[in-house]
Amino acid sequence: MSSFLFNSTRAAKVPALLLMAAVGIAAPFGAYAATKKKAAPDTPQTPDGPHKFSFDPKKLVWPSPPSVARVKWVDYFAGSKIDYSTPANTKPKQSWMDRLAGAQSDQEKVNPKTFPFQLIGPYGIAIDSKGKVYVADQKVGAVFIFNTDTHDTEMIRNGIEAHFEWINGLAIDDDDRLFVSDGKLHHVLVFSPKHEMQDQITEGLVDPVGVAIDTTNRFLYVVDTQQDQVIVYDADTYKLLRRIGTGGKNHTLTSPGDFGAPQGVAVDSDGNVYVTDTLNDRVEIFDADGTFISTFGKNGDGPGFFERPKGIAVDSDGHIWVADEVQDRLQVFNKEGQLLTYVGYKHGDLPGQFQALVGVAIDKNNRVFTTEQYPGRLQEFQYVSDSDAAAEKERKAQEAEKRASQHQKAPTSTPTDKPAQAPAAVAPQSAAGTPKAAQ
C-alpha cells in the first residue's frame, strides 16, 4: 500500500506538456461534420473526425514520475460513430407541392433509428461480461453501448427499444441483465442480455439514482435521492427487503448511517456497501446486512476533501474511487479514508481533466471509466494494481542496482605518459642582456 502514497503537492502539478496543450476537444465522435467552406489552395484541410491532440495523452500517468504509475490514461468516447463519406450524387424526388411548401423529402428527414447521437448528459456507467461499456445519458434519453476496441456504438433508445424520461444509474449482473434507474418515472427497468425490457421495479421508489448489485448475496441496491435512503431488493425476485438510512427529513440529517441527498452506491468483494452522501460531502460504509461501519470525508476544496461527491466504485484491491462533481477530481482512498492518489487538475476537457464529473465504474480488468457532462464524454483509464505496482517498483530497484554495480566495476583511466615538465624559470636580465645572477 505504501507504494500508492504520494506527495500531493508534487502530484498536483500536471506535466508542462498538458498545461501547454491546445484548448479541448473540437469535434467529438458523435457530432455531425460541419459543412466546410471552400479553402484557399494553400490552406491545409482539417480532417473530419475526432480532435487530435498536440501531445500523446497515452503517456499521461498519475502520480507523476519518478513515482510508480498507479493510473494511466487510455482513451475517450463521445458518441456514436459517424460515416463522413458523402452519399451518391442523386437528388431526392419531391412533388411540386412539397417544393412549393419548402418541405423536406423523405430522404432528407431525420430517421431516429439511424441518427447518430453524441453524449450530452452522460451519468451512470456499467460494464458487461464482454467488456462493453454502457452509459446512461440523461439528456439524450438513451443508453449508449460502447465497444472500446473498435469505438462502435449501439444504443437503447427512448421511444424505440424503451421508454425513458430521466435515466440515472446503471448496473449489470453476472447474467448480463441491465438495470436502469429512471427518476421521473420512479422505477428501475430490467433488460435482458439482448436489451429487451423484461421487468420493472417500482415498490418504494420515488427518485432512484445510483444502482449496484451484490452478485454473491443477490442484493440490488438502489439509491433514492429524494427519500435519503438506499433501498435493498432481492436481485432475482425484486422484492423489497429493507431500507438503509432515515427517510422523510428533507436532506437535513448528518448523523452516521443517515444521508443528505445520496447519489452513488458501490459494492466490494466482501459485500460491503459504499454510498456517496452528497450533501454531507462524505462516504458512508455499511456491511451486507445494512449495518453502519464507518464514514470518511468532509467539505473542502483540496485533495482529500469533497464538494458534492457523486459516482463511486471499488477496485480489485478494495480502494474506493470517488467522482467529485464540483472539484472535477477523481480521488482514490483506502477504507480508512486516507487519500492515495487523484486524477484531475482544475477544470478542463483535455485528457485527464474533467468538467462536471459525475460517474465512475471499474471492471474486473481494472479499467476505470468516468463520465462528465461538459463536454459529454466517457474517459477510460487503467488502474495499476498493488501487485503490479510492487513488481514494477522491484524492477526499477533492480535496474538501479545493476547500473550502480556496472559503474563500480568500470575501469578507471590512468595516464601512460608523464606530463611534460614546465620550462625552467628564466632569470631576469640586466640592460646589457647578462643575467643578474652572473654579474
Side-chain angles (χ1 to χ4, degrees):
M1 181 66 67
S2 61
S3 62
F4 211 153
L5 299 179
F6 72 109
N7 183 309
S8 60
T9 303
R10 184 186 67 186
K13 298 178 180 177
V14 172
L17 188 59
L18 177 59
L19 292 176
M20 296 171 61
V23 185
I25 301 170
F29 283 89
Y32 271 115
T35 303
K36 295 181 180 180
K37 295 181 180 180
K38 188 174 182 180
D42 56 347
T43 302
Q45 296 290 326
T46 302
D48 290 321
H51 175 76
K52 301 300 182 183
F53 301 103
S54 58
F55 62 98
D56 184 1
K58 291 184 181 291
K59 293 182 179 180
L60 292 175
V61 296
W62 294 264
S64 300
S67 299
V68 174
R70 301 308 306 268
V71 185
K72 300 179 180 180
W73 191 89
V74 178
D75 207 348
Y76 84 94
F77 307 84
S80 57
K81 202 170 184 178
I82 294 180
D83 182 6
Y84 288 104
S85 60
T86 56
N89 189 19
T90 56
K91 293 183 179 181
K93 294 181 179 180
Q94 288 181 292
S95 68
W96 67 270
M97 294 182 64
D98 288 335
R99 290 195 298 271
L100 184 64
Q104 290 181 316
S105 66
D106 290 338
Q107 292 93 331
E108 292 173 316
K109 293 178 181 178
V110 172
N111 184 348
K113 292 186 178 181
T114 59
F115 185 83
F117 288 97
Q118 72 177 65
L119 291 172
I120 298 178
Y123 203 91
I125 314 168
I127 304 102
D128 68 14
S129 62
K130 298 177 182 177
K132 291 185 177 181
V133 183
Y134 294 62
V135 178
D137 194 303
Q138 296 172 325
K139 296 175 183 177
V140 172
V143 177
F144 288 76
I145 306 170
F146 294 101
N147 183 321
T148 58
D149 294 327
T150 64
H151 276 252
D152 289 334
T153 309
E154 305 171 60
M155 298 177 73
I156 302 175
R157 298 156 292 184
N158 178 38
I160 300 176
E161 289 87 10
H163 176 53
F164 299 131
E165 287 289 341
W166 192 255
I167 53 178
N168 297 305
L170 300 179
I172 295 178
D173 69 4
D174 44 1
D175 293 325
D176 278 347
R177 289 184 302 166
L178 173 66
F179 296 77
V180 183
S181 64
D182 193 314
K184 284 190 177 181
L185 295 180
H186 321 296
H187 64 203
V188 173
L189 295 179
V190 185
F191 292 85
S192 73
K194 295 182 179 180
H195 307 153
E196 299 168 343
M197 197 176 74
Q198 285 184 331
D199 214 328
Q200 62 178 331
I201 304 169
T202 59
E203 184 181 2
L205 292 175
V206 175
D207 183 21
V209 181
V211 187
I213 296 178
D214 181 345
T215 57
T216 301
N217 296 307
R218 309 306 302 165
F219 294 143
L220 170 67
Y221 294 93
V222 181
V223 177
D224 195 301
T225 300
Q226 288 302 317
Q227 296 190 78
D228 293 324
Q229 292 180 320
V230 177
I231 305 176
V232 188
Y233 298 88
D234 184 294
D236 299 309
T237 66
Y238 314 137
K239 178 183 178 182
L240 196 158
L241 301 177
R242 60 179 178 272
R243 295 171 181 262
I244 303 175
T246 304
K249 300 299 181 180
N250 196 27
H251 318 318
T252 59
L253 295 181
T254 60
S255 52
D258 289 318
F259 307 106
Q263 294 272 331
V265 60
V267 182
D268 68 14
S269 58
D270 295 324
N272 297 315
V273 184
Y274 302 79
V275 183
T276 49
D277 188 5
T278 303
L279 291 187
N280 288 323
D281 294 313
R282 65 186 180 185
V283 171
E284 298 200 71
I285 307 175
F286 303 82
D287 66 16
D289 296 322
T291 303
F292 174 78
I293 297 176
S294 62
T295 183
F296 67 86
K298 60 181 179 180
N299 179 263
D301 59 2
F305 295 89
F306 294 130
E307 193 170 359
R308 299 299 181 264
K310 289 197 169 181
I312 190 167
V314 182
D315 64 35
S316 60
D317 292 319
H319 305 131
I320 306 159
W321 298 61
V322 184
D324 194 298
E325 181 181 30
V326 175
Q327 294 193 55
D328 279 329
R329 187 176 289 126
L330 178 63
Q331 304 189 90
V332 188
F333 300 86
N334 60 20
K335 290 184 180 180
E336 290 70 41
Q338 181 182 17
L339 179 66
L340 302 178
T341 192
Y342 66 89
V343 179
Y345 179 77
K346 297 184 178 180
H347 312 279
D349 54 12
L350 291 174
Q353 291 182 324
F354 306 104
Q355 293 198 80
L357 172 66
V358 289
V360 59
I362 305 174
D363 71 2
K364 60 184 178 181
N365 296 316
N366 284 323
R367 295 186 303 166
V368 181
F369 296 92
T370 60
T371 48
E372 59 197 289
Q373 301 198 322
Y374 306 104
R377 181 173 59 167
L378 174 77
Q379 292 195 67
E380 179 183 352
F381 303 84
Q382 181 65 52
Y383 162 62
V384 180
S385 67
D386 286 346
S387 58
D388 289 343
E392 177 65 12
K393 185 177 180 179
E394 177 63 22
R395 185 188 67 80
K396 287 187 174 183
Q398 290 178 357
E399 286 184 351
E401 184 178 352
K402 183 179 180 180
R403 287 194 300 268
S405 176
Q406 290 174 344
H407 179 72
Q408 290 176 354
K409 293 179 180 179
T412 57
S413 58
T414 56
T416 56
D417 298 328
K418 292 183 179 181
Q421 293 183 350
V426 178
Q429 295 182 339
S430 64
T434 305
K436 291 183 177 179
Q439 291 178 349

